[in-house]
Amino acid sequence: MALKNIISLQYGMNIKSMKQLQNEFLIKTAKAEYIAKKVKLSPAEIVFIYHCQEHLKENRFVSFEKIVPTKDGCPYLRFDKSIYVLIEHFQKEPIEIIEKEISSCIEFINMFHAASTNLTSTIGARYKASYGKDRIAARNMYSVFTKIKQNPRIIKNESLKKVILKTIDKNIEYVEKATKILEDDSYLSIIRRSMQENRFIHGKLTLQNIVKSYNKLRLLNMFDVELNIREKDIATFIKSLLKRNKDLDFDEIIGRFYITSFDQYRQKLILALLLLPYEYFSVVKKVLKLGNLEWASKGFEEKINRICESDEYKHKILASLH
């Protein structure tokens, strides 16, 4: 296999076996295992991600899935018009939603965020800066939802129209409340502070991307790191918890992320980020784009109902903000 030979040459590896797994390959050597992953990122984005990982290591945070550079120090490999990244492969155990494990995860995330400030190398950073995008997304959501509410005929499929009109009012309420918080000047102050700190975040910090490996916690999927406020990571993590257990005390969990610097606006900001119905918005946009979906209407109906059911925890967030 040509790719196997190139990886062996570029990384100086004696590969014992190489097995294809969808868009990636499991590579085994005498000493370790790796994944050669095909990615849709630009070289500049990969270099930025690699520099973020090097920064974490310099700050003594090493518990994450690392990119392995070539012998020449390049964090990616070109092959057959595609780009591959070699990452570590190790034993993984999922995290359980119990008090002890949640507390360990919060402490672990705080350690990661403490190590992710004062990034010195920002090559490729302009591709991975996401400051203020949630405010823009909230405005777009409100515009699309109210347009549908005022003119339902823009949804061509009748059954989908009924499902969306039945569920859209609650999502408009979520967006209105979130927008009110995101439009506050304090949001810009937090962004400015994060920019001064040159902070990056994980970008997709769900419970699924934190695992146990040999009794230690590790971060997976480091390909979404971006320059942004840490509240985005915290909201993503809490959302993944609430999707598994809607009865968790989200206010109490948020408080544990701020040992010394807690303020009420940061709590409200995280709740606003939790309220934004990104999944619902994504499906609605597809419905509008694809027109009369007779062939796929049932699948979209089921997806909308499933999203609304999993978003039931947002009722409690609304209540806590009133």
Side-chain angles (χ1 to χ4, degrees), residues 221-273:
N221 191 12
M222 297 290 286
F223 293 102
D224 294 281
V225 293
E226 62 185 25
L227 296 173
N228 208 341
I229 58 175
R230 70 186 292 251
E231 282 70 24
K232 181 72 173 179
D233 265 356
I234 295 169
T236 303
F237 173 71
I238 294 173
K239 182 178 181 179
S240 69
L241 292 178
L242 290 169
K243 282 189 174 290
R244 292 201 194 179
N245 184 351
K246 297 179 178 67
D247 296 322
L248 287 174
D249 186 343
F250 48 81
D251 283 324
E252 190 271 334
I253 293 173
I254 291 171
R256 284 196 251 169
F257 280 99
Y258 298 95
I259 300 167
T260 58
S261 59
F262 180 74
D263 65 68
Q264 283 191 332
Y265 180 76
R266 288 182 185 272
Q267 181 185 28
K268 286 182 179 179
L269 175 57
I270 292 168
L271 295 178
L273 296 174

Side-chain angles (χ1 to χ4, degrees), residues 74-91:
C74 185
Y76 61 88
L77 179 71
R78 292 184 185 272
F79 175 76
D80 194 22
K81 297 181 181 179
S82 296
I83 293 179
Y84 288 84
V85 174
L86 199 70
I87 57 175
E88 298 174 325
H89 183 253
F90 45 81
Q91 181 186 36

Side-chain angles (χ1 to χ4, degrees), residues 144-162 164-165 168 287-293:
V144 171
F145 293 167
T146 53
K147 192 179 292 183
I148 292 170
K149 183 76 174 171
Q150 292 163 5
N151 183 16
R153 287 178 296 177
I154 61 176
I155 301 173
K156 305 302 180 184
N157 184 277
E158 288 301 319
S159 59
L160 277 173
K161 186 188 297 181
K162 288 178 183 177
I164 291 173
L165 290 177
I168 204 163
V287 170
L288 292 175
K289 183 180 179 181
L290 296 174
N292 194 355
L293 298 163

Side-chain angles (χ1 to χ4, degrees), residues 52-69:
C52 288
Q53 294 193 2
E54 291 298 293
H55 179 80
L56 290 173
K57 288 192 279 187
E58 287 170 10
N59 285 326
R60 299 183 181 181
F61 185 89
V62 295
S63 299
F64 59 90
E65 195 175 52
K66 301 174 187 67
I67 291 175
V68 180

Side-chain angles (χ1 to χ4, degrees), residues 81-131:
K81 297 181 181 179
S82 296
I83 293 179
Y84 288 84
V85 174
L86 199 70
I87 57 175
E88 298 174 325
H89 183 253
F90 45 81
Q91 181 186 36
K92 303 176 183 74
E93 296 175 34
I95 302 295
E96 296 180 48
I97 302 186
I98 57 175
E99 174 57 33
K100 183 180 178 182
E101 302 236 324
I102 292 173
S103 295
S104 296
C105 284
I106 292 171
E107 184 180 354
F108 180 67
I109 293 168
N110 281 339
M111 288 170 60
F112 164 66
H113 285 156
S116 69
T117 58
N118 300 316
L119 179 66
T120 52
S121 179
T122 54
I123 297 171
R126 69 188 182 94
Y127 300 101
K128 302 288 284 182
S130 299
Y131 300 116

